[in-house]
Amino acid sequence: MLQPKWGFLPTTPQVDSCFADAIRSSHCRLCMHRHLRTTRASGNIEANDEHDTAYCPLDLYSLEPDRVKQALSALWTGWVDSEGQSNNLRIFLSGERLSPTSVRSLPGLLLMPANPLQTDIALLAAHFSSAPLAALQSILVPALRKSLLLPRLSSLQSSLHPASLSSLLADPFSLHQPDLEEWLAWIAASAPREDRTPRDKVLAALLSATFKDCSIFLRVVRGESGWEVEMKAIDLDPKPVKSLGKWDALDEKVVDAFGRALEEWEGARKCVV
């Protein structure tokens, strides 16, 4: 299971200041937010070397073979370093969540039972046991590149992304929680960005946040020609209106902390679409 996060960089019409344009259009939200979390944990405001090797969602969304491979490698490293507690990558076998230790112990778990489904599971475990990261990449890179799910998520995130969260909060009459009837009517109407009312913009921002935070469930099964991957987006419950203020405050902190670090960090890697 992957949680890919933001798959785009805001372009000029979506940001509301020169500072935001310079920072947000060059560095993705996850990379900046990761720096803020690291800063809070270490007390060091300077950017760190992890930024150059850590997972960047834009590598995954690029669908370029080497970059998707790099994204999976970074996700795997984060998963191992967190002892399997990372939310960006979770691995299950026969319904059981695995840890890095249990993956290394897979050879001792292979009993090759007679049940066909269990046999497939054992074969998959065997495939992963000797070189698990390479096995993960060999199966998922082709599947992710072939699927339309990542491009669709990126498009929805970007097209619904608000130009300014602060401007949404300025209209209190638009800040009530939508019910299912309103959601269905709004989606059916689908007003273009330039024609959106203040209420339209609130609903668009909530859906954009939902797509930015959803997960992708990937089920690996044995097909006639080898391993096949069934893929779908999950965790798609719309975000609540009450979170808008929290997101706005967090956004300012994320960009400010990263901007201050960049002043002392020459040659920092930029995120590439």
Side-chain angles (χ1 to χ4, degrees):
M1 185 182 300
L2 303 177
Q3 192 177 40
K5 294 296 187 177
W6 291 41
F8 70 103
L9 293 175
T11 54
T12 302
Q14 294 174 310
V15 296
D16 51 8
S17 73
C18 293
F19 179 68
D21 185 36
I23 301 297
R24 295 178 188 147
S25 64
S26 300
H27 303 276
C28 81
R29 174 55 183 266
L30 180 64
C31 290
M32 292 193 293
H33 196 181
R34 180 170 50 236
H35 171 71
L36 178 63
R37 291 195 298 266
T38 302
T39 298
R40 287 173 171 172
S42 65
N44 180 9
I45 66 169
E46 295 183 359
N48 53 70
D49 294 338
E50 178 192 4
H51 177 73
D52 289 333
T53 57
Y55 167 64
C56 176
L58 298 185
D59 287 335
L60 188 71
Y61 282 96
S62 74
L63 302 185
E64 298 173 12
D66 289 344
R67 292 181 64 189
V68 175
K69 189 175 181 180
Q70 167 58 30
L72 292 175
S73 177
L75 285 168
W76 180 271
T77 299
W79 180 71
V80 172
D81 290 347
S82 69
E83 299 183 352
Q85 298 306 304
S86 169
N87 284 331
N88 294 114
L89 175 65
R90 283 165 281 176
I91 300 176
F92 299 82
L93 180 65
S94 191
E96 296 293 329
R97 184 169 179 173
L98 298 183
S99 68
T101 301
S102 59
V103 167
R104 290 191 289 268
S105 303
L106 280 176
L109 302 176
L110 303 183
L111 302 178
M112 298 298 289
N115 182 293
L117 177 59
Q118 292 178 336
T119 299
D120 281 353
I121 291 171
L123 286 170
L124 181 61
H127 186 59
F128 270 80
S129 62
S130 58
L133 174 56
L136 187 79
Q137 292 169 326
S138 69
I139 294 174
L140 295 190
V141 169
L144 289 167
R145 295 187 66 228
K146 183 171 63 175
S147 172
L148 298 177
L149 183 53
L150 285 174
R152 183 59 174 159
L153 277 179
S154 176
S155 175
L156 289 168
Q157 293 171 4
S158 177
S159 63
L160 297 167
H161 181 72
S164 167
L165 284 171
S166 299
S167 65
L168 301 184
L169 297 170
D171 186 353
F173 297 103
S174 298
L175 299 178
H176 52 277
Q177 186 65 28
D179 56 20
L180 179 59
E181 184 178 356
E182 184 179 10
W183 274 123
L184 293 175
W186 183 78
I187 292 171
S190 61
R193 179 187 295 273
E194 59 272 14
D195 295 333
R196 288 175 186 163
T197 65
R199 180 60 173 170
D200 289 335
K201 294 175 182 178
V202 167
L203 297 181
L206 297 180
L207 271 192
S208 179
T210 298
F211 293 126
K212 292 166 185 169
D213 202 40
C214 74
S215 297
I216 297 177
F217 183 82
L218 305 103
R219 180 171 179 262
V220 181
V221 295
R222 188 73 173 177
E224 294 182 358
S225 57
W227 297 111
E228 298 178 356
V229 181
E230 300 173 356
M231 199 178 310
K232 63 180 179 180
I234 60 174
D235 300 332
L236 292 170
D237 294 337
K239 299 295 185 179
V241 168
K242 64 181 181 182
S243 295
L244 288 172
K246 178 182 68 175
W247 296 337
D248 185 40
L250 178 60
D251 185 66
E252 290 187 10
K253 292 178 182 177
V254 165
V255 176
D256 179 66
F258 198 79
R260 286 186 287 118
L262 286 179
E263 294 176 358
E264 306 294 331
W265 195 19
E266 296 182 1
R269 184 194 73 175
K270 293 184 177 181
C271 301
V272 180
V273 176

